[in-house]
Amino acid sequence: MYKVVSLFAGCGGCDLGILGDFEYNNQKYKKLPYKIIYALDIDEKALATHSLNFKTNQLKCGDICNILSDEIPDCDIVIGGFPCQSFSTVNPTKDPFDDRANLYKQMVRIVKDKQPKAFIAENVKGLLTLHNGKIFKKICKAFENAGYTLSYKLLNAADYGVPQKRERVVIVGIRNDLNKKYLFPKAPNVGKWIPLSSVIKDLAMKDQKYYFSERAVKGMKNAKPNMKRGLWQNLDEPCLTITSHLAKVSLNSRDPVLLVDSKKELYRRFTPREAARIQSFPENFKFAGSETSAYRQIGNAVPPVLFWHIAKDLSKTLVNA
């Protein structure tokens, strides 16, 4: 059983994925040989959700910059999706060198000091091309200097059984002395994506609070041609990427929404449970706090099903290591 430290744990998308033993969309994802012994995040509400769903020996709320490496238990694996707002392609004007962008250094520090057998890091697609790839190369070099052989790949969650077109770069590092290199798993759903309809149980639901007002619809219709328009989703395809501001979804944005009735011009946002399904959380996964908080936790998470595939193959790579 590999001991896992989860950094930037949030509500636990990576953590559920690496543990396995859950059912999603009528498919069973088997238990994997990992145990989470320490989870860290700065968001109390996200950790409240984590506490509802996992039995973790040490659950720490705090700023990773203030956490000494000695405070973190020895482990076999370190996982974490360091905050990615500064690397996002949605807002290219963000300063890529702000404090949040430099949080990868904290993950490097902990990996270097704890020397686990392996680590898994996740981030947005934009990290690969920002500043012509210089920032990504800098991050990879830092992990290599910590003593690790890297493999990285741009993955689309839809290729792994998630009903969402969500592209993320994943970096897997294995400690040099183990003389192993990670190979990414073959994507099982290439060419046979899971449609959004598989997780939308009632398109025309009765709860009116999720519907956009007539005024919002009129505003979308009257918007200037160069303005962004509401992106209602084709239920026969995976959803576009959902984000952390699901509670503030607008019809004049690039946010995915649902078209309930074209004749009546009825549109609505996803419910928190629908958003969780789109991210591949199972039905029994509970979220603490308000709906607004749940939306943020869900949008910031890594799809558990995607992470399960990555973690499963890592366990195979580390056999006898």
Side-chain angles (χ1 to χ4, degrees), residues 102-121:
N102 285 319
L103 285 176
Y104 80 87
K105 295 179 181 178
Q106 300 301 325
M107 187 171 181
V108 171
R109 168 178 65 87
I110 291 170
V111 166
K112 183 177 181 180
D113 292 348
K114 306 310 294 187
Q115 286 292 294
K117 291 181 178 180
F119 72 86
I120 307 174

Side-chain angles (χ1 to χ4, degrees), residues 13 83 101 111 134 161 172 176 187 205 208 263 298 318:
V111 166
K134 291 180 181 178
V172 180
N176 289 340
M205 59 187 302
Q208 293 299 305
K263 292 182 179 179
I298 294 164
L318 292 177

